[in-house]
Amino acid sequence: MEIINKITDMKKLVLLFFIIFFLTEGYSQTKYRPIVVGFYNFENFYDTIFHGKNDDPQFTPQGSKAYTGAVFNDKVKKLATVLSQIGTDINPDGVAILGTAEIENAFVLDTLLKHPLIAHRGYKFVHYDSRDFRGVDVAMIYNPKYFKVQKSRPLFVKLPEGSKDAFYTRDVLWVTGLLDGEKVHVFVNHWPSRSGGEKRSEPGRMAAAETVRRQIDTLLIIEPDSKIIVMGDLNDDPTNNSITKGLKASGNLKKLNKDELYNPWMDYYKNGIGTLAYQDAWSLFDQIIVSQAFLDKKQEGLFFYKNNVFKADYMIENIGKYKGYPMRTYSGDLYRGGYSDHFPTYIVLLKKVE
């Protein structure tokens, strides 16, 4: 028994080692604790029941996709598999916060978070129903070990006339809480799609960007050093106007204006790295953007360290004309058994350990 206890203690020490980063500056060595923050578009994560208005009848057992209980349960398992692994090379607990898009309701989230692959983490979520015509919303999943919710609210996005066929889009989710003891504001987004044409639909994404930016401007007036994270499927790339002008986010770390956010995905996009593909071209719609309060690496609080796209081999399509793309759940109405048509993204925040 004593030997077993010693082995258990050794495993705990090894685990502790892996959750401490060692970064060397000059001759000094400092210990840091890593926090992983991610975003993942779950792609049509519906239940199997048709709820009438603001629902998609395709995703039912009788619908064109034959979306049965077996398909739903397989979808849950696939998403739980990915969620169980994002960021675990950085921190064994995985993501502390995960923004999500294309979820139908609280039921699908609750079912996912109870899956045996991730149930032990005790994840909770924040979600509000919006008036999106397809019935999909955004939500924020969080590990209460790392994040404590203080308040939350949905932000309504008013679409300009003629920008979309639908009258409504997804609300933006604004959550304020303590991340490892520090006050942080998180905005989870799923901006209007490009259906109907990129140019015609652009005003809708600009409206969403400006909705978020107005709240950010207010926060920065009250508290100039506010720590803010904007994440989501923005349906635009880092170079598009909705992000560079509407949200005021720049990828130029050395020349940020005082009011600009930092977008670490600009170089990724310019180097051809994306999170979804269409007609053999990669887009990087899934972004996590931070305020400048995260950029000082000498501070005592959380600071931005790095970002990455998570794409394990099993998430990548391996046959057919879409080989190399994210493996999606359906190819048209044919069940493919994949994960999502998007790859998730994440950032790593570090904090000095006393």
Side-chain angles (χ1 to χ4, degrees):
M1 183 63 70
E2 184 178 351
I3 294 175
I4 293 174
N5 288 336
K6 286 182 178 179
I7 293 173
T8 301
D9 290 340
M10 183 60 70
K11 287 182 177 179
K12 289 180 179 178
L13 288 173
V14 171
L15 181 62
L16 179 62
F17 175 82
F18 278 110
I19 65 173
I20 301 294
F21 270 46
F22 293 91
L23 301 182
T24 304
E25 294 184 12
Y27 296 100
S28 65
Q29 193 176 66
T30 308
K31 298 178 182 179
Y32 295 89
R33 178 168 54 252
I35 305 290
V36 182
V37 176
F39 176 80
Y40 193 17
N41 182 324
F42 283 168
E43 191 205 12
N44 297 323
F45 190 27
Y46 287 93
D47 62 22
T48 60
I49 301 169
F50 182 60
H51 302 277
K53 187 179 179 182
N54 294 347
D55 198 352
D56 191 334
Q58 296 180 96
F59 291 93
T60 61
Q62 297 78 31
S64 61
K65 297 186 184 298
Y67 189 76
T68 63
V71 173
F72 171 74
N73 289 332
D74 189 51
K75 176 82 170 177
V76 169
K77 180 181 178 181
K78 296 289 175 56
L79 294 176
T81 299
V82 177
L83 182 49
S84 72
Q85 296 179 11
I86 298 174
T88 52
D89 57 329
I90 306 296
N91 184 328
D93 287 331
V95 288
I97 292 174
L98 183 77
T100 68
E102 294 197 19
I103 58 101
E104 183 176 17
N105 50 37
F107 169 78
V108 299
L109 286 170
D110 189 57
T111 304
L112 170 63
L113 300 186
K114 288 178 179 176
H115 192 279
L117 286 171
I118 53 176
H120 63 282
R121 292 184 185 170
Y123 280 127
K124 298 182 182 299
F125 64 86
V126 182
H127 162 258
Y128 295 89
D129 284 313
S130 67
R131 289 184 281 181
D132 176 72
F133 80 102
R134 291 180 58 228
V136 292
D137 309 311
V138 298
M140 193 188 92
I141 295 168
Y142 65 94
N143 187 332
K145 176 179 177 180
Y146 294 93
F147 187 80
K148 303 289 187 293
V149 176
Q150 293 180 315
K151 59 183 178 180
S152 64
R153 58 174 286 202
L155 301 176
F156 176 71
V157 177
K158 185 177 180 180
L159 291 176
E161 186 175 348
S163 63
K164 299 288 291 182
D165 292 332
F167 292 106
Y168 300 105
T169 187
R170 281 76 56 175
D171 293 339
V172 175
L173 175 60
W174 177 13
V175 182
T176 301
L178 300 178
L179 181 59
D180 201 30
E182 289 187 66
K183 186 176 182 180
V184 173
H185 301 275
V186 182
F187 294 88
V188 186
N189 301 258
H190 187 190
W191 292 356
S193 74
R194 295 184 172 195
S195 63
E198 179 183 348
K199 188 170 184 61
R200 178 199 169 190
S201 60
E202 182 183 24
R205 291 185 294 282
M206 184 63 77
E210 291 173 344
T211 298
V212 177
R213 186 68 219 195
R214 281 194 293 271
Q215 299 301 327
I216 290 174
D217 287 339
T218 300
L219 289 172
L220 294 177
I221 290 172
I222 298 171
E223 189 177 350
D225 293 327
S226 294
K227 289 193 167 178
I228 301 165
I229 301 173
V230 180
M231 62 169 68
D233 175 356
L234 307 182
N235 272 305
D236 266 338
D237 290 308
T239 55
N240 287 124
N241 287 335
S242 62
I243 297 167
T244 59
K245 296 180 180 179
L247 198 57
K248 296 182 183 176
S250 169
N252 192 334
L253 192 56
K254 296 181 179 179
K255 294 183 179 181
L256 284 176
N257 294 324
K258 186 177 180 180
D259 64 340
E260 284 184 320
L261 305 173
Y262 174 56
N263 189 347
W265 304 98
M266 187 72 76
D267 288 342
Y268 272 63
Y269 177 65
K270 289 181 177 179
N271 289 326
I273 299 172
T275 55
L276 71 159
Y278 178 68
Q279 294 183 346
D280 294 332
W282 284 93
S283 294
L284 211 167
F285 291 172
D286 306 271
Q287 299 164 55
I288 305 172
I289 299 166
V290 299
S291 63
Q292 293 188 41
F294 279 109
L295 300 182
D296 179 8
K297 289 180 168 54
K298 295 182 179 180
Q299 65 178 291
E300 296 299 318
L302 290 164
F303 63 87
F304 173 82
Y305 175 56
K306 68 176 184 177
N307 56 306
N308 203 3
V309 178
F310 181 79
K311 48 179 180 179
D313 289 344
Y314 61 79
M315 300 165 62
I316 302 173
E317 182 60 72
N318 52 24
I319 60 172
K321 64 179 181 179
Y322 299 119
K323 185 176 181 179
Y325 288 23
M327 186 187 293
R328 57 194 308 163
T329 309
Y330 284 89
S331 178
D333 287 337
L334 178 65
Y335 182 62
R336 180 69 185 95
Y339 299 78
S340 171
D341 56 348
H342 292 242
F343 291 132
T345 53
Y346 67 88
I347 64 172
V348 178
L349 306 174
L350 297 183
K351 190 173 186 177
K352 290 180 183 178
V353 176
E354 297 296 332

Short mmCIF file of all heavy atoms in Angstrom, two decimals, residues 25-70:
data_model
loop_
_atom_site.label_atom_id
_atom_site.label_comp_id
_atom_site.label_asym_id
_atom_site.label_seq_id
_atom_site.Cartn_x
_atom_site.Cartn_y
_atom_site.Cartn_z
N GLU A 25 13.84 34.50 -18.90
CA GLU A 25 14.15 35.84 -19.36
C GLU A 25 15.50 36.21 -18.74
O GLU A 25 15.64 36.36 -17.54
CB GLU A 25 13.08 36.83 -18.93
CG GLU A 25 11.74 36.57 -19.59
CD GLU A 25 10.72 37.63 -19.23
OE1 GLU A 25 11.14 38.66 -18.67
OE2 GLU A 25 9.54 37.44 -19.52
N GLY A 26 16.52 36.38 -19.60
CA GLY A 26 17.86 36.65 -19.07
C GLY A 26 18.34 35.43 -18.30
O GLY A 26 18.36 34.32 -18.80
N TYR A 27 18.73 35.65 -17.04
CA TYR A 27 19.23 34.57 -16.22
C TYR A 27 18.19 34.09 -15.21
O TYR A 27 18.44 33.19 -14.44
CB TYR A 27 20.50 35.02 -15.48
CG TYR A 27 21.64 35.35 -16.41
CD1 TYR A 27 21.92 36.67 -16.72
CD2 TYR A 27 22.42 34.34 -16.97
CE1 TYR A 27 22.96 36.99 -17.58
CE2 TYR A 27 23.47 34.65 -17.82
CZ TYR A 27 23.73 35.98 -18.14
OH TYR A 27 24.75 36.29 -18.98
N SER A 28 17.04 34.72 -15.21
CA SER A 28 16.01 34.38 -14.22
C SER A 28 15.02 33.37 -14.79
O SER A 28 14.80 33.30 -16.00
CB SER A 28 15.26 35.63 -13.78
OG SER A 28 14.54 36.17 -14.86
N GLN A 29 14.45 32.60 -13.92
CA GLN A 29 13.45 31.60 -14.32
C GLN A 29 12.20 31.84 -13.52
O GLN A 29 12.23 31.91 -12.29
CB GLN A 29 14.00 30.19 -14.08
CG GLN A 29 13.18 29.11 -14.75
CD GLN A 29 13.81 27.73 -14.55
OE1 GLN A 29 13.88 27.25 -13.43
NE2 GLN A 29 14.26 27.13 -15.62
N THR A 30 11.06 31.97 -14.20
CA THR A 30 9.81 32.29 -13.56
C THR A 30 8.79 31.20 -13.85
O THR A 30 8.73 30.68 -14.96
CB THR A 30 9.26 33.65 -14.06
OG1 THR A 30 10.28 34.63 -13.92
CG2 THR A 30 8.04 34.06 -13.25
N LYS A 31 7.97 30.88 -12.86
CA LYS A 31 6.93 29.88 -13.04
C LYS A 31 5.62 30.55 -13.42
O LYS A 31 5.25 31.59 -12.87
CB LYS A 31 6.74 29.07 -11.76
CG LYS A 31 7.97 28.30 -11.30
CD LYS A 31 7.69 27.58 -9.99
CE LYS A 31 8.93 26.83 -9.51
NZ LYS A 31 8.67 26.15 -8.21
N TYR A 32 4.89 29.91 -14.35
CA TYR A 32 3.62 30.45 -14.80
C TYR A 32 2.55 29.36 -14.81
O TYR A 32 2.84 28.21 -15.10
CB TYR A 32 3.74 31.03 -16.22
CG TYR A 32 4.63 32.22 -16.34
CD1 TYR A 32 6.00 32.06 -16.59
CD2 TYR A 32 4.13 33.50 -16.20
CE1 TYR A 32 6.83 33.15 -16.70
CE2 TYR A 32 4.96 34.60 -16.31
CZ TYR A 32 6.31 34.43 -16.55
OH TYR A 32 7.13 35.51 -16.67
N ARG A 33 1.33 29.75 -14.52
CA ARG A 33 0.19 28.85 -14.61
C ARG A 33 -0.57 29.15 -15.91
O ARG A 33 -0.94 30.30 -16.15
CB ARG A 33 -0.74 29.03 -13.40
CG ARG A 33 -1.98 28.14 -13.45
CD ARG A 33 -2.73 28.12 -12.13
NE ARG A 33 -3.07 29.44 -11.64
CZ ARG A 33 -2.49 30.02 -10.60
NH1 ARG A 33 -1.50 29.42 -9.97
NH2 ARG A 33 -2.86 31.23 -10.20
N PRO A 34 -0.82 28.15 -16.76
CA PRO A 34 -1.51 28.39 -18.03
C PRO A 34 -3.04 28.24 -17.92
O PRO A 34 -3.53 27.34 -17.26
CB PRO A 34 -0.93 27.31 -18.95
CG PRO A 34 -0.64 26.17 -18.03
CD PRO A 34 -0.27 26.77 -16.69
N ILE A 35 -3.74 29.12 -18.59
CA ILE A 35 -5.20 29.07 -18.71
C ILE A 35 -5.54 29.02 -20.20
O ILE A 35 -5.06 29.85 -20.98
CB ILE A 35 -5.87 30.32 -18.09
CG1 ILE A 35 -5.44 30.50 -16.62
CG2 ILE A 35 -7.39 30.23 -18.23
CD1 ILE A 35 -5.98 29.48 -15.68
N VAL A 36 -6.35 28.05 -20.60
CA VAL A 36 -6.71 27.88 -22.01
C VAL A 36 -8.13 28.39 -22.24
O VAL A 36 -9.07 28.01 -21.52
CB VAL A 36 -6.60 26.40 -22.43
CG1 VAL A 36 -6.94 26.24 -23.91
CG2 VAL A 36 -5.20 25.86 -22.14
N VAL A 37 -8.29 29.25 -23.25
CA VAL A 37 -9.58 29.82 -23.62
C VAL A 37 -9.83 29.51 -25.09
O VAL A 37 -8.97 29.81 -25.94
CB VAL A 37 -9.61 31.35 -23.39
CG1 VAL A 37 -10.92 31.95 -23.88
CG2 VAL A 37 -9.39 31.68 -21.92
N GLY A 38 -10.95 28.88 -25.41
CA GLY A 38 -11.18 28.44 -26.78
C GLY A 38 -12.52 28.85 -27.36
O GLY A 38 -13.39 29.39 -26.67
N PHE A 39 -12.66 28.56 -28.65
CA PHE A 39 -13.95 28.74 -29.34
C PHE A 39 -14.13 27.61 -30.35
O PHE A 39 -13.17 27.21 -31.02
CB PHE A 39 -14.02 30.08 -30.09
CG PHE A 39 -15.31 30.22 -30.86
CD1 PHE A 39 -16.47 30.59 -30.22
CD2 PHE A 39 -15.36 29.89 -32.21
CE1 PHE A 39 -17.68 30.64 -30.92
CE2 PHE A 39 -16.55 29.95 -32.91
CZ PHE A 39 -17.72 30.33 -32.26
N TYR A 40 -15.38 27.12 -30.45
CA TYR A 40 -15.67 26.02 -31.36
C TYR A 40 -17.10 26.13 -31.88
O TYR A 40 -18.05 26.16 -31.10
CB TYR A 40 -15.49 24.69 -30.63
CG TYR A 40 -15.46 23.44 -31.48
CD1 TYR A 40 -15.25 23.47 -32.86
CD2 TYR A 40 -15.62 22.19 -30.89
CE1 TYR A 40 -15.19 22.32 -33.62
CE2 TYR A 40 -15.57 21.02 -31.64
CZ TYR A 40 -15.35 21.09 -33.00
OH TYR A 40 -15.30 19.93 -33.75
N ASN A 41 -17.23 26.22 -33.20
CA ASN A 41 -18.55 26.16 -33.83
C ASN A 41 -18.95 24.69 -33.91
O ASN A 41 -18.32 23.91 -34.63
CB ASN A 41 -18.50 26.79 -35.23
CG ASN A 41 -19.85 26.81 -35.92
OD1 ASN A 41 -20.65 25.89 -35.78
ND2 ASN A 41 -20.11 27.86 -36.68
N PHE A 42 -20.02 24.31 -33.19
CA PHE A 42 -20.41 22.90 -33.10
C PHE A 42 -21.15 22.39 -34.34
O PHE A 42 -21.45 21.21 -34.43
CB PHE A 42 -21.32 22.70 -31.88
CG PHE A 42 -20.58 22.67 -30.56
CD1 PHE A 42 -21.28 22.74 -29.37
CD2 PHE A 42 -19.21 22.56 -30.51
CE1 PHE A 42 -20.62 22.70 -28.15
CE2 PHE A 42 -18.53 22.52 -29.30
CZ PHE A 42 -19.25 22.59 -28.11
N GLU A 43 -21.45 23.23 -35.29
CA GLU A 43 -22.12 22.89 -36.55
C GLU A 43 -23.43 22.13 -36.35
O GLU A 43 -23.47 20.92 -36.22
CB GLU A 43 -21.21 22.06 -37.46
CG GLU A 43 -21.82 21.94 -38.86
CD GLU A 43 -21.36 20.71 -39.64
OE1 GLU A 43 -20.73 19.81 -39.06
OE2 GLU A 43 -21.67 20.65 -40.84
N ASN A 44 -24.52 22.88 -36.34
CA ASN A 44 -25.86 22.28 -36.33
C ASN A 44 -26.06 21.29 -35.18
O ASN A 44 -26.47 20.14 -35.40
CB ASN A 44 -26.15 21.59 -37.66
CG ASN A 44 -26.15 22.56 -38.82
OD1 ASN A 44 -26.60 23.70 -38.70
ND2 ASN A 44 -25.64 22.13 -39.96
N PHE A 45 -25.79 21.74 -33.97
CA PHE A 45 -25.97 20.87 -32.81
C PHE A 45 -27.41 21.01 -32.31
O PHE A 45 -27.70 21.77 -31.41
CB PHE A 45 -24.96 21.24 -31.73
CG PHE A 45 -24.89 20.26 -30.58
CD1 PHE A 45 -25.21 18.92 -30.75
CD2 PHE A 45 -24.47 20.67 -29.34
CE1 PHE A 45 -25.14 18.02 -29.69
CE2 PHE A 45 -24.37 19.80 -28.28
CZ PHE A 45 -24.72 18.47 -28.45
N TYR A 46 -28.28 20.24 -32.95
CA TYR A 46 -29.72 20.26 -32.65
C TYR A 46 -30.11 19.05 -31.80
O TYR A 46 -29.42 18.03 -31.80
CB TYR A 46 -30.53 20.19 -33.95
CG TYR A 46 -30.55 21.44 -34.78
CD1 TYR A 46 -29.62 21.64 -35.80
CD2 TYR A 46 -31.51 22.42 -34.57
CE1 TYR A 46 -29.65 22.78 -36.59
CE2 TYR A 46 -31.55 23.57 -35.36
CZ TYR A 46 -30.62 23.75 -36.36
OH TYR A 46 -30.64 24.87 -37.12
N ASP A 47 -31.26 19.18 -31.11
CA ASP A 47 -31.91 17.98 -30.59
C ASP A 47 -32.71 17.36 -31.74
O ASP A 47 -32.61 17.82 -32.88
CB ASP A 47 -32.78 18.30 -29.37
CG ASP A 47 -33.93 19.27 -29.66
OD1 ASP A 47 -34.33 19.38 -30.85
OD2 ASP A 47 -34.43 19.90 -28.72
N THR A 48 -33.49 16.34 -31.49
CA THR A 48 -34.19 15.65 -32.57
C THR A 48 -35.65 16.07 -32.70
O THR A 48 -36.40 15.50 -33.51
CB THR A 48 -34.14 14.13 -32.35
OG1 THR A 48 -34.78 13.82 -31.11
CG2 THR A 48 -32.70 13.64 -32.32
N ILE A 49 -36.07 17.05 -31.93
CA ILE A 49 -37.49 17.45 -31.88
C ILE A 49 -37.69 18.72 -32.69
O ILE A 49 -36.92 19.68 -32.57
CB ILE A 49 -37.93 17.69 -30.42
CG1 ILE A 49 -37.73 16.41 -29.59
CG2 ILE A 49 -39.39 18.14 -30.36
CD1 ILE A 49 -37.90 16.62 -28.10
N PHE A 50 -38.74 18.76 -33.52
CA PHE A 50 -39.08 19.97 -34.25
C PHE A 50 -39.97 20.85 -33.37
O PHE A 50 -41.06 20.46 -32.97
CB PHE A 50 -39.81 19.64 -35.55
CG PHE A 50 -40.14 20.86 -36.37
CD1 PHE A 50 -39.14 21.70 -36.82
CD2 PHE A 50 -41.46 21.16 -36.68
CE1 PHE A 50 -39.43 22.84 -37.56
CE2 PHE A 50 -41.76 22.29 -37.43
CZ PHE A 50 -40.74 23.12 -37.87
N HIS A 51 -39.48 22.05 -33.07
CA HIS A 51 -40.18 22.93 -32.13
C HIS A 51 -41.04 23.98 -32.83
O HIS A 51 -41.56 24.88 -32.18
CB HIS A 51 -39.15 23.64 -31.24
CG HIS A 51 -38.28 22.69 -30.47
ND1 HIS A 51 -38.68 22.12 -29.27
CD2 HIS A 51 -37.04 22.20 -30.72
CE1 HIS A 51 -37.71 21.33 -28.81
NE2 HIS A 51 -36.71 21.35 -29.68
N GLY A 52 -41.19 23.86 -34.14
CA GLY A 52 -42.02 24.83 -34.86
C GLY A 52 -41.19 25.98 -35.38
O GLY A 52 -40.08 25.81 -35.89
N LYS A 53 -41.70 27.19 -35.22
CA LYS A 53 -41.01 28.38 -35.71
C LYS A 53 -39.61 28.47 -35.10
O LYS A 53 -39.39 28.10 -33.96
CB LYS A 53 -41.83 29.63 -35.35
CG LYS A 53 -41.29 30.92 -35.95
CD LYS A 53 -42.16 32.10 -35.56
CE LYS A 53 -41.60 33.39 -36.14
NZ LYS A 53 -42.41 34.57 -35.74
N ASN A 54 -38.67 29.00 -35.87
CA ASN A 54 -37.27 29.13 -35.44
C ASN A 54 -36.65 27.78 -35.10
O ASN A 54 -36.04 27.59 -34.04
CB ASN A 54 -37.15 30.09 -34.25
CG ASN A 54 -37.52 31.52 -34.61
OD1 ASN A 54 -37.63 31.86 -35.78
ND2 ASN A 54 -37.71 32.35 -33.61
N ASP A 55 -36.84 26.84 -36.00
CA ASP A 55 -36.21 25.53 -35.89
C ASP A 55 -35.97 25.04 -37.32
O ASP A 55 -36.56 25.57 -38.27
CB ASP A 55 -37.10 24.55 -35.12
CG ASP A 55 -36.33 23.34 -34.60
OD1 ASP A 55 -35.16 23.19 -34.96
OD2 ASP A 55 -36.92 22.56 -33.83
N ASP A 56 -35.12 24.04 -37.47
CA ASP A 56 -34.80 23.51 -38.80
C ASP A 56 -35.34 22.09 -38.89
O ASP A 56 -34.81 21.18 -38.25
CB ASP A 56 -33.28 23.51 -39.02
CG ASP A 56 -32.91 23.24 -40.47
OD1 ASP A 56 -33.70 22.59 -41.17
OD2 ASP A 56 -31.81 23.66 -40.89
N PRO A 57 -36.42 21.86 -39.67
CA PRO A 57 -37.04 20.54 -39.74
C PRO A 57 -36.15 19.46 -40.35
O PRO A 57 -36.44 18.27 -40.21
CB PRO A 57 -38.27 20.79 -40.63
CG PRO A 57 -37.94 22.01 -41.43
CD PRO A 57 -37.09 22.85 -40.54
N GLN A 58 -35.06 19.85 -41.01
CA GLN A 58 -34.14 18.84 -41.56
C GLN A 58 -33.55 17.98 -40.44
O GLN A 58 -33.27 16.80 -40.63
CB GLN A 58 -33.00 19.51 -42.31
CG GLN A 58 -33.37 20.30 -43.54
CD GLN A 58 -32.14 20.92 -44.18
OE1 GLN A 58 -31.58 20.35 -45.12
NE2 GLN A 58 -31.69 22.04 -43.67
N PHE A 59 -33.34 18.62 -39.28
CA PHE A 59 -32.65 17.92 -38.18
C PHE A 59 -33.66 17.28 -37.23
O PHE A 59 -33.73 17.58 -36.04
CB PHE A 59 -31.72 18.90 -37.46
CG PHE A 59 -30.55 19.32 -38.31
CD1 PHE A 59 -30.62 20.48 -39.08
CD2 PHE A 59 -29.41 18.54 -38.40
CE1 PHE A 59 -29.56 20.86 -39.89
CE2 PHE A 59 -28.35 18.91 -39.20
CZ PHE A 59 -28.42 20.07 -39.96
N THR A 60 -34.42 16.37 -37.81
CA THR A 60 -35.37 15.54 -37.07
C THR A 60 -35.33 14.14 -37.69
O THR A 60 -34.86 13.97 -38.82
CB THR A 60 -36.81 16.10 -37.18
OG1 THR A 60 -37.21 16.10 -38.56
CG2 THR A 60 -36.91 17.52 -36.62
N PRO A 61 -35.85 13.13 -37.00
CA PRO A 61 -35.85 11.78 -37.58
C PRO A 61 -36.60 11.70 -38.90
O PRO A 61 -36.25 10.90 -39.78
CB PRO A 61 -36.53 10.94 -36.50
CG PRO A 61 -36.24 11.67 -35.22
CD PRO A 61 -36.28 13.13 -35.60
N GLN A 62 -37.64 12.54 -39.06
CA GLN A 62 -38.43 12.52 -40.29
C GLN A 62 -37.90 13.48 -41.36
O GLN A 62 -38.39 13.49 -42.49
CB GLN A 62 -39.88 12.90 -39.97
CG GLN A 62 -40.60 11.94 -39.04
CD GLN A 62 -40.21 12.14 -37.58
OE1 GLN A 62 -39.89 13.26 -37.17
NE2 GLN A 62 -40.24 11.06 -36.80
N GLY A 63 -36.91 14.28 -41.00
CA GLY A 63 -36.38 15.28 -41.92
C GLY A 63 -35.46 14.69 -42.97
O GLY A 63 -35.14 13.49 -42.96
N SER A 64 -35.02 15.53 -43.89
CA SER A 64 -34.20 15.06 -45.02
C SER A 64 -32.87 14.47 -44.58
O SER A 64 -32.28 13.66 -45.29
CB SER A 64 -33.96 16.22 -45.99
OG SER A 64 -33.25 17.28 -45.34
N LYS A 65 -32.41 14.84 -43.40
CA LYS A 65 -31.12 14.32 -42.91
C LYS A 65 -31.27 13.10 -42.00
O LYS A 65 -30.27 12.57 -41.52
CB LYS A 65 -30.35 15.43 -42.20
CG LYS A 65 -29.98 16.60 -43.11
CD LYS A 65 -29.11 17.61 -42.41
CE LYS A 65 -28.84 18.81 -43.29
NZ LYS A 65 -28.12 18.47 -44.54
N ALA A 66 -32.52 12.68 -41.77
CA ALA A 66 -32.77 11.52 -40.90
C ALA A 66 -31.96 11.64 -39.60
O ALA A 66 -31.20 10.75 -39.23
CB ALA A 66 -32.44 10.22 -41.63
N TYR A 67 -32.16 12.77 -38.92
CA TYR A 67 -31.40 13.10 -37.72
C TYR A 67 -32.05 12.40 -36.52
O TYR A 67 -32.87 12.96 -35.81
CB TYR A 67 -31.39 14.62 -37.55
CG TYR A 67 -30.47 15.17 -36.48
CD1 TYR A 67 -29.09 15.23 -36.68
CD2 TYR A 67 -30.98 15.67 -35.28
CE1 TYR A 67 -28.26 15.77 -35.71
CE2 TYR A 67 -30.15 16.21 -34.32
CZ TYR A 67 -28.79 16.26 -34.53
OH TYR A 67 -27.96 16.80 -33.58
N THR A 68 -31.65 11.17 -36.30
CA THR A 68 -32.26 10.32 -35.28
C THR A 68 -31.54 10.46 -33.94
O THR A 68 -30.51 11.13 -33.83
CB THR A 68 -32.18 8.84 -35.72
OG1 THR A 68 -30.79 8.49 -35.82
CG2 THR A 68 -32.87 8.62 -37.05
N GLY A 69 -32.07 9.79 -32.94
CA GLY A 69 -31.43 9.76 -31.63
C GLY A 69 -30.03 9.18 -31.69
O GLY A 69 -29.11 9.63 -30.99
N ALA A 70 -29.84 8.17 -32.55
CA ALA A 70 -28.51 7.56 -32.70
C ALA A 70 -27.51 8.56 -33.28
O ALA A 70 -26.35 8.62 -32.85
CB ALA A 70 -28.61 6.33 -33.59
#
